[in-house]
């Protein structure tokens, strides 16, 4: 394991903080396939992304988990900006860095993400042909989630007040040192609308997996980018890479994984359903994570060989 920091070349003057995980017996004189692991909205590399990266490294792959620009140990202002276009570009910035490492095979780079990180990963693969294989766990298309609700029960047009809120927040932020924020996960147990999202509160705000760099917030101004964002835009034409989707059968978010599977142009695509798992279970519950990795690791080994 090695902590690294590198300049993001996307023009924002940000340095990305990341952790590289190496397979047993790692030899710098050899070439290895690599997988970029992207964290959920509101998360950091020390949580589920790091867990999956470590387990992939245990299966012979170099894996890298990183903090998004403006979040965690990465630099950039304003803090906790959740601009989905920048989040997508971050993945390509990490690939830029990987191509500078002599022990990484540039033709064997894959990417996976958890929750919103899965949606961002799909979007990055649509745009960046250096990504040779795509994996998702509990995938969330963050635009769909904010527009249509956790269980796809809200019409697009009914999300207009959120655009107005984002616009008003930008006006309110102007000239202020402290920007308006919104929770990305329930901040209190009693704020959760259902038991599944109560588990999101537990994950981010109790000893289960809380981290000082993961406050569970985003800038309210981010709504202006999020509401109209489609992580799967043009997947029907350009998401042609091999695709492995993993989702729990009782996850309220599963419809977003279904949508990705339906829309992706990939001829080599598979959907693994984890029985008994909900959205959050696949973040850190050992038996569910191990089942996900038992599918993802062979997928990347096969597609990045």
């Amino acid at each position: 394991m090695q902590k690294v920091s590198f300049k993001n070349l996307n023009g924002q003057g940000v340095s990305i903080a990341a952790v590289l995980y190496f397979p047993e017996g790692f030899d710098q004189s050899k070439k290895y396939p690599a997988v970029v692991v992207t964290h959920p909205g509101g998360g950091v590399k020390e949580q589920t992304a790091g867990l999956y990266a470590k387990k992939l490294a245990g299966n012979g792959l170099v894996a890298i988990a990183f903090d998004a620009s403006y979040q965690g140990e990465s630099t950039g202002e304003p803090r906790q900006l959740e601009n989905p276009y920048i989040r997508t570009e971050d993945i390509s910035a990490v690939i830029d860095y990987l191509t500078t490492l002599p022990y990484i095979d540039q033709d064997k780079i894959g990417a996976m993400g958890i929750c919103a990180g899965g949606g961002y990963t799909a979007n990055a693969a649509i745009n960046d042909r250096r990504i040779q294989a795509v994996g998702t766990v509990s995938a969330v298309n963050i635009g769909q989630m904010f527009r249509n609700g956790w269980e796809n029960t809200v019409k697009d047009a009914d999300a207009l007040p959120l655009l107005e809120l984002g616009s008003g927040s930008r006006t309110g932020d102007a000239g202020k040192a402290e920007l308006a924020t919104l929770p990305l996960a329930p901040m209190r147990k009693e704020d959760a609308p259902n038991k599944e999202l109560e588990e999101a509160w537990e994950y981010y705000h109790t000893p289960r997996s809380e981290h000082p760099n993961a406050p569970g917030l985003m800038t309210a101004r981010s709504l202006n980018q999020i509401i109209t964002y489609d992580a799967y835009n043009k997947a029907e034409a350009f998401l042609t890479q091999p695709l492995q989707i993993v989702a729990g059968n009782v996850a309220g978010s599963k419809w977003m994984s279904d949508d990705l599977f339906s829309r992706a142009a990939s001829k080599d695509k598979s959907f693994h359903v984890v029985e008994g798992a909900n959205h959050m279970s696949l973040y850190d519950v050992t038996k569910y994570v191990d089942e996900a990795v038992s599918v993802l690791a062979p997928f990347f080994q096969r597609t990045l060989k």
Side-chain angles (χ1 to χ4, degrees), residues 192 194-204 208 278-282 284-285:
N194 55 48
K195 293 295 288 186
E196 185 174 29
L197 291 175
E198 183 179 305
E199 197 172 340
W201 160 80
E202 179 188 355
Y203 182 84
Y204 285 110
R208 173 173 169 180
N278 66 17
H279 183 89
M280 304 300 302
S281 303
L282 283 160
D284 66 338
V285 176

Side-chain angles (χ1 to χ4, degrees), residues 89-112:
E89 279 292 307
D90 281 346
I91 297 167
S92 290
V94 176
I95 295 171
D96 293 344
Y97 170 71
L98 288 177
T99 65
T100 71
L101 301 177
Y103 51 82
I104 298 299
D105 189 328
Q106 296 184 19
D107 296 323
K108 298 178 182 178
I109 295 175
M112 67 156 285

Side-chain angles (χ1 to χ4, degrees), residues 6-80:
F6 48 90
K7 211 71 174 172
N8 182 331
L9 299 179
N10 293 333
Q12 304 295 318
V14 171
S15 291
I16 295 283
V19 178
L20 281 158
Y21 293 84
F22 302 104
E24 188 175 353
F26 174 73
D27 182 347
Q28 280 203 18
S29 68
K30 296 181 178 178
K31 294 277 190 181
Y32 291 85
V35 179
V36 179
V37 185
T38 301
H39 64 70
V44 288
K45 63 186 179 304
E46 290 83 4
Q47 296 170 321
T48 183
L51 176 62
Y52 275 90
K54 183 177 181 180
K55 287 182 177 290
L56 289 177
N59 283 272
L61 301 155
V62 173
I64 184 168
F66 67 98
D67 286 332
S69 296
Y70 311 99
Q71 299 174 28
E73 291 182 310
S74 294
T75 66
E77 297 286 343
R79 301 307 296 168
Q80 302 311 127

